[in-house]
Amino acid sequence: MKHILTMMIGITISGGINQAEAKTLKGTQPVKHIEMVSDSASIIQLKKELSKLKPLDPDTFKSKIKKEISGFTLAEVEAYNEPETGSSCTAQYINGEKSVYLMITDGAGKAASQVAESLISNLDFKQYVTPDSKTKIIDFKGYPAFFDESMYAEDKFVSIQYLEGKRYYITGTGNNITLEELKAILEKFSL
């Protein structure tokens, strides 16, 4: 079992954790580490699948953005297709003094590596989260997502970074709303 676990640690090192962290995980938290290795393997498989897909063209990307989500109305949408990085889109939704801004990366083609790296980073960060942290890693829509309300008290600004539809990596930020409100909005958002 130790040999298998050591081999599994080697797999995850290429996904973002260093040797010292791997030894710590191996020695103190084998169950969590095995879960992390399993999650890393599924992310690597996702990367392979996404790299085979063709990124959306800007017009198609814009047409996928809903005009309204949970009482928030689409105020602005822009889409881009860069040869080096792939397709991306931004959208802003407004509801009175409240707003939600989405930065969306299409994980297809060349962007597959970027999306996989973001998901692996979320896994890596999970080990540093404490119960009183204002930043958490929570499974959301099937993958580890980054939930942050660290700036909420003063700036009323919250953020969630997650994978939508096993393809699109989204950074959703909310202004003048709580993290729970942003989560509820993003639960209804789909592409």
Side-chain angles (χ1 to χ4, degrees):
M1 181 66 179
K2 273 187 168 183
H3 180 66
I4 293 170
L5 190 55
T6 302
M7 287 175 27
M8 293 166 73
I9 290 169
I11 291 168
T12 59
I13 289 171
S14 64
I17 60 176
N18 64 38
Q19 299 244 359
E21 290 168 333
K23 287 178 185 173
T24 301
L25 288 171
K26 178 183 170 196
T28 61
Q29 300 176 2
V31 173
K32 285 185 180 181
H33 178 66
I34 290 169
E35 289 171 4
M36 185 174 171
V37 169
S38 173
D39 289 343
S40 295
S42 71
I43 291 169
I44 291 167
Q45 182 60 38
L46 175 69
K47 176 185 169 185
K48 288 177 185 177
E49 293 170 16
L50 288 174
S51 66
K52 297 174 189 175
L53 300 176
K54 183 180 176 188
L56 297 176
D57 65 81
D59 290 335
T60 303
F61 214 152
K62 286 167 91 171
S63 72
K64 295 177 84 55
I65 304 300
K66 294 179 178 183
K67 303 293 182 216
E68 188 270 333
I69 312 169
S70 300
F72 284 74
T73 305
L74 182 64
E76 181 181 340
V77 63
E78 299 278 339
Y80 314 91
N81 192 338
E82 300 293 330
E84 306 83 39
T85 58
S87 295
S88 62
C89 183
T90 59
Q92 182 172 17
Y93 291 89
I94 305 288
N95 182 346
E97 296 289 315
K98 301 176 180 184
S99 66
V100 172
Y101 183 77
L102 305 178
M103 292 182 293
I104 308 165
T105 300
D106 180 357
K110 292 182 179 182
S113 293
Q114 177 186 346
V115 168
E117 287 172 16
S118 295
L119 292 170
I120 293 290
S121 291
N122 289 351
L123 281 176
D124 287 348
F125 186 77
K126 190 173 188 174
Q127 65 185 320
Y128 301 109
V129 174
T130 62
D132 61 337
S133 294
K134 293 207 178 260
T135 302
K136 303 209 183 297
I137 303 298
I138 300 168
D139 284 343
F140 185 64
K141 296 193 176 188
Y143 287 88
F146 185 89
F147 281 65
D148 182 31
E149 60 181 339
S150 61
M151 296 186 286
Y152 183 75
E154 292 178 21
D155 299 332
K156 296 185 178 178
F157 179 83
V158 294
S159 178
I160 297 175
Q161 298 173 27
Y162 72 102
L163 186 68
E164 175 64 47
K166 295 186 178 184
R167 177 169 176 162
Y168 306 96
Y169 197 78
I170 298 177
T171 298
T173 56
N175 193 20
N176 289 322
I177 63 174
T178 66
L179 193 58
E180 284 303 311
E181 287 174 306
L182 180 59
K183 181 182 177 204
I185 292 164
L186 294 176
E187 283 173 340
K188 295 178 181 176
F189 183 78
S190 63
L191 290 169

